Amino acid sequence: MVAPRPLRGLPVADQAPHERGDAARNRTLLLDAARRLIAERGADAVTTDDIAAAAGVGKGTLFRRFGSRSAMMIVLLDEDEKAHQEAFLFGPPPLGPGAPPLDRLLAYGRARLEFVHLHHGLLSDANRDPQMRFSPPATLHHRHVRVLLADAGTTGDLDAQAAALLALLDSDYVQHQLGDRGETLESLGDAWESVARKLCGA
Amino acid sequence: MVAPRPLRGLPVADQAPHERGDAARNRTLLLDAARRLIAERGADAVTTDDIAAAAGVGKGTLFRRFGSRSAMMIVLLDEDEKAHQEAFLFGPPPLGPGAPPLDRLLAYGRARLEFVHLHHGLLSDANRDPQMRFSPPATLHHRHVRVLLADAGTTGDLDAQAAALLALLDSDYVQHQLGDRGETLESLGDAWESVARKLCGA
């Protein structure tokens, strides 16, 4: 089968658009497969062989696209973090705008618990570095929680209250509570709700 | 000068009690000197030469007593942690028993801020290990804060509230606030007080 000649005016090699399309498609297939397997088994139990097989591509393709397993995991975390931010900043209520601020805060807590549990391994690595713990993504979460506390009419030191609330969503704390203390994502969501309601005076 | 003959009945070498006394005295001299220098300059700016000179002993003595600088720092942190725990569990009010629970909680927060700032370097190293972050010393602090919240008649999920409050005393958080956010131990103490009062409904 002959690839259709590109319609663009720029002089490109015949195969290039086709290859770029394949590359993008394989990238998506691999990331989706990795996401699915991690959700099923946890990141530690997922190998590059598993991911390539589930994506229906060769392992060489995985390494050509991402360079290494850990580089692929960083891309995955980054994409998921962006999608998560998109959801709580601009998505549908109650997580996104349109719901009352306390409802949004409660939805944020439960959504973030799912996220940090799913991505525990990588977030825990990032936690090892104090600079990362207080880096721009962390700042964005702090600002989001602070804005919702303010919108809910919360009194007192909002920066400190936001920091205290966010500590309950720290990936190492969550994993310790789930693994060593018999908590569940549900019970940790309830705990977050209890503290959030109290700070909001609700 | 001839050392006095030991008066004990057990057959020991003549020099042994004297040496043990010297060892204990040098140990105390070295730890006190290190404590004083760290308080003045921060741990990073204190060398074994500085400590030995300030203690008035040779550097060889420091290494004979402690093995290494980092081993000495661990002994120092451990001793200070014990003294700190002694103070808030059994010492005079308002930190120790006898004061109203909210007053004790506020005194605890300010005392702990001083402690984590002084020992930031070592506590930050310990933080790198998630097991350490949730180890027995951390558990003791959590139980102390939880007991004071309960005594103050605080409602809601006390475990989560204690965890959220203690996050404001985390050594990396404190150092980030002091170093990068222009906060002071005084302003961080005020922030802790604001959140603690709110949770206690005061």
Side-chain angles (χ1 to χ4, degrees), chain A residues 23 25-38 43 46-55 57-80 119 122:
Chain A
R25 192 174 57 89
N26 286 338
R27 189 176 184 283
T28 305
L29 283 173
L30 285 161
L31 288 171
D32 286 349
R35 207 170 266 127
R36 203 164 61 241
L37 291 171
I38 291 171
V46 177
T47 66
T48 48
D49 283 314
D50 298 335
I51 296 168
V57 304
K59 199 159 89 164
T61 304
L62 186 153
F63 285 101
R64 261 197 312 284
R65 290 283 79 80
F66 296 102
S68 68
R69 182 184 185 283
S70 64
M72 182 186 183
M73 292 295 162
I74 288 169
V75 170
L76 188 68
L77 178 64
D78 190 55
E79 283 203 351
D80 286 6
H119 293 298
L122 278 168

Side-chain angles (χ1 to χ4, degrees), chain B residues 92-104:
Chain B
L95 193 54
L102 179 57
D103 290 356
R104 290 187 67 192

Side-chain angles (χ1 to χ4, degrees), chain B residues 87-124:
Chain B
F88 67 71
L89 292 174
F90 310 112
L95 193 54
L102 179 57
D103 290 356
R104 290 187 67 192
L105 196 57
L106 302 184
Y108 168 82
R110 292 191 192 267
R112 189 68 187 165
L113 283 168
E114 300 271 359
F115 184 89
V116 301
H117 176 51
L118 190 58
H119 292 298
H120 168 250
L122 278 169
L123 289 169
S124 185

